[in-house]
Amino acid sequence: MFKSRLSAAPYLLWMGIFIIAPLLLVCYFAFTDASGSFTLANIQGLTAHVDVLLRSLWLAAVATVICLVLGYPVAYILSRAEEGQQRIFLMLCLLPMWMNFLLRTYAWMTLLENNGLINRFFGLFGLGPFEMINTQGAVVLGMVYNYLPFMIMPLYSIMVKIENSTIQAAQDLGANGVQVLFKVVLPLSVPGITSGVIMVFVPAISTFIISKMLGGGSNLLIGDLIELQFLGNAYNPHLGAAMSLVLMIIILLCLGFLNYFGDEDATREAIL
């Protein structure tokens, strides 16, 4: 027992320094002013930025839904492919992630700008130029492109465990393709859906690079405002800490809500 606790000491020390201490600092700055006195003014100041918070929630939710719609059939096809083909397709899905995040986002800037490759292509047919850069659609596109692999991998890891015999048994009992999908595959893949939604929604709602590079100044997200409070001209770490704390609470509430649907008992009830 003592040896097991001793082996866990480095991890506990790491948690204390890099997780617990930063969280305590965020809470301290969120409820204090420049003189160190307790105040709720920082929390109340968030009311001026409700529109940015709602925009962040909306765009993150839209990007998550699109990733789920695109990633679910891809993950299913991967899980049903032969083992050699699975390795190749997985490598192709993960290949864009080998490139730097900023470079991938910057590449979309060159594609979407008014004189970019997409508008030049449409110009060959006398169309455009279309306003694609500095829009909410461009922000969602950047989120989907960068975070889609985070949806595919959890779904694939769950679907690959679904035996072909299970699907064949449902077909032998008279289930058609739609019934097999909604009565067998979908309930069994709920834990993967939950994990994928969490892995996409959390970075999407807190991103600031994508919105800054593809959204322009008119599509700020909560991550952009937090960055401005710490690194921008409007330096106010107390307000930035309050924003971070509220965002963390919202994320934790969303995670708790999603974990309920990812519970094994809930999945079992859905199947029955």
Side-chain angles (χ1 to χ4, degrees):
M1 188 68 178
F2 175 76
K3 291 182 178 180
S4 62
R5 292 182 177 179
L6 185 62
S7 62
Y11 177 70
L12 294 176
L13 180 63
W14 180 276
M15 285 183 57
I17 296 176
F18 296 103
I19 298 179
I20 298 177
L23 289 178
L24 293 177
L25 286 175
V26 168
C27 294
Y28 171 77
F29 278 97
F31 293 102
T32 57
D33 55 18
S35 62
S37 302
F38 176 82
T39 181
L40 294 176
N42 299 318
I43 303 296
Q44 295 173 351
L46 297 178
T47 56
H49 306 288
V50 173
D51 56 334
V52 178
L53 180 59
L54 293 177
R55 185 188 303 125
S56 302
L57 288 169
W58 168 247
L59 294 183
V62 170
T64 303
V65 171
I66 295 176
C67 285
L68 179 59
V69 172
L70 295 177
Y72 197 90
V74 173
Y76 181 78
I77 293 173
L78 283 175
S79 66
R80 298 302 102 185
E82 297 181 0
E83 185 175 351
Q85 294 177 339
Q86 288 182 17
R87 289 194 293 266
I88 295 175
F89 291 150
L90 285 174
M91 184 188 68
L92 293 176
C93 290
L94 297 176
L95 190 60
M97 299 182 66
W98 296 358
M99 186 183 300
N100 183 272
F101 184 90
L102 293 176
L103 291 179
R104 297 200 307 267
T105 307
Y106 186 78
W108 275 108
M109 290 180 60
T110 61
L111 290 173
L112 297 177
E113 61 187 9
N114 294 335
N115 295 322
L117 296 178
I118 296 179
N119 271 318
R120 289 183 182 179
F121 174 77
F122 285 127
L124 298 176
F125 304 96
L127 302 175
F130 299 102
E131 187 67 29
M132 293 181 287
I133 197 70
N134 299 334
T135 62
Q136 292 187 4
V139 176
V140 172
L141 176 61
M143 291 180 180
V144 171
Y145 174 76
N146 284 291
Y147 301 134
L148 183 58
F150 296 105
M151 179 66 74
I152 294 176
M153 295 308 298
L155 287 170
Y156 165 77
S157 64
I158 292 296
M159 290 183 178
V160 76
K161 298 177 182 178
I162 303 176
E163 299 290 342
N164 288 325
S165 58
T166 304
I167 298 176
Q168 292 171 358
Q171 294 172 340
D172 291 341
L173 293 173
N176 56 34
V178 176
Q179 290 173 329
V180 169
L181 174 63
F182 287 99
K183 295 292 186 178
V184 179
V185 178
L186 186 60
L188 291 175
S189 60
V190 167
I193 294 175
T194 303
S195 300
V197 168
I198 291 173
M199 293 181 68
V200 172
F201 181 78
V202 171
I205 192 176
S206 57
T207 186
F208 60 93
I209 292 297
I210 295 176
S211 54
K212 178 182 293 186
M213 298 179 69
L214 299 180
S218 60
N219 292 283
L220 289 178
L221 301 184
I222 189 67
D224 299 298
L225 288 181
I226 294 174
E227 183 201 18
L228 290 174
Q229 306 309 314
F230 290 98
L231 301 176
N233 295 328
Y235 181 75
N236 189 347
H238 299 276
L239 180 59
M243 292 179 180
S244 302
L245 182 62
V246 171
L247 180 60
M248 181 175 61
I249 293 174
I250 293 175
I251 291 176
L252 290 176
L253 291 175
C254 293
L255 294 183
F257 178 76
L258 290 172
N259 282 331
Y260 171 78
F261 292 99
D263 185 73
E264 292 183 0
D265 294 333
T267 303
R268 192 179 300 109
E269 292 176 1
I271 297 174
L272 296 176

